[in-house]
Amino acid sequence: MKIPLSFNRRHSFSSITAPLLSRTGAIGEDDDGTVPIVRSQTTADGYYDSKLRRGFNDLIRFRSAASVATYNTLNSFFFEHIDEEAYLPDIGLRPWLAALGGFCAQFCSFGYMNVIGLFQTYYETHQLVDLSPSTISWIGSIQTFILAFGGLFCGRICDMYGPRWLTVPGCLLLTLGVCMTALCTEYYQFVLAQGVCSAIGASALFYATTSAITGWFSKRRGLAFGVAASGASFGGIALPFLFDVVSVRASFEMAVYCVAILLFIFSFTAVIVTTSRVAPSGRQPYRFVHFYLRPYLDPVFALVTLSLTIVYLGLFVPFAFVASHALANGLSLASAFHLIAYLNAGSLAGRLFSGMLSDKAGKFNIYILVCFMSGIVAFPFWYLATTEAGIIVVAAAYGFASGGVLAMYPALIAQISPVREIGTRVGAVSAAIAFGALASLPIAGAIVGGEEGPVANYNGMQIYAGVAMMAGSVIAVIAKGKATRGKLLARE
């Protein structure tokens, strides 16, 4: 049977034919670790090599009446494989659709997490007024931990099956968790709904889209991650204002439902537009040591992970406590809520600026700079800020610096990792830094509640956050020295 000329190399059946032709039903690997991809010949006669002809004939037996257009639709929608030669990195619409998916996913994941200070302050003054700040902070701390630790599983799932296996359940779990938060009245209910259920969904969305972006971009990867990370800042700006307006005019329950609707819209958009350029490897044995421990034999990878873990001990402390610190210094509840938006507005600029600059100045250089800047803003500037104007300036400045940290984290890991292991390695790093995130807010909450006086309670916490982030930047300098063999001024 003659192969239709309209069947071109941009619409490969390889993701369908490979499982059908394989005895095990999975796509295997060659000796060099790459996935065999059935490709068309590039000659003008319009015929394919023998593998593709056999695969096409097998498909005809299964679906003799199906048209080429139908198979093209199935291939592009249900399968994550896209011909790697036909779609080069950084070129065309599909890479920027993946960046849009990352933007929407980070709006729902880190954008939702960036407003933990809003919920922390609201719970302290309403539903959980009888509990200490340290106890309440466990809700946000568990949420942060699961969002980060989920990468241990989500990264590998994405490498094996593609992003859509994660984005669909992520959208559903996130929406369910936020809706259930509106109905909560007891502490354990908030932990399960907000801290666990919504965090699992947010984690799946974040790691699926992050892995997809790394395959679509090469030279402009820093910019792409900056664009995607800006979604978290937009979420941090929009969600506080939405919550404040609706909660004042209606109720807490209605405000949370409105947040859930907005998160569903963005997460569903991420489901639609996110695809992977690199073919999924198919089902493979879960070799924990090989995939998650072997990368730590690389001293650069180990030092970067240690740096991020220490940075995460202090990174989200201002996000959680800037509003309650403002209340302690005499600001109104509405003004305190608006600080979360100011902080995220600064974060938006920081994410975009650091992403663009890192493509020129180097990922390591920008990461070290923004980590040190975050520590300086937290201590001494936040330490000295007691007036409303001063606190607003500090919030915006910290948002700018910390936004750069969050934008550079996946780009830096991608730079020091093989392309087919990026999802797994991001997961391995995230599992480690999750423990820093888990401990950070309870430690800060304990420091807040451990001294006398309304303002003095926050002094030790501000010192703790600043020192942690500056220490992380020092370790990053050592990691860069290892990576560049002592050339600390190199553009890496």
Side-chain angles (χ1 to χ4, degrees), residues 227-249:
V227 171
S230 66
S233 300
F234 274 104
I237 296 170
L239 296 179
F241 281 114
L242 176 63
F243 181 89
D244 182 38
V245 170
V246 180
S247 62
V248 170
R249 297 184 179 182

Side-chain angles (χ1 to χ4, degrees), residues 168-181:
V168 173
C171 172
L172 298 177
L173 286 174
L174 175 65
T175 306
L176 176 64
V178 178
C179 288
M180 291 299 102
T181 302

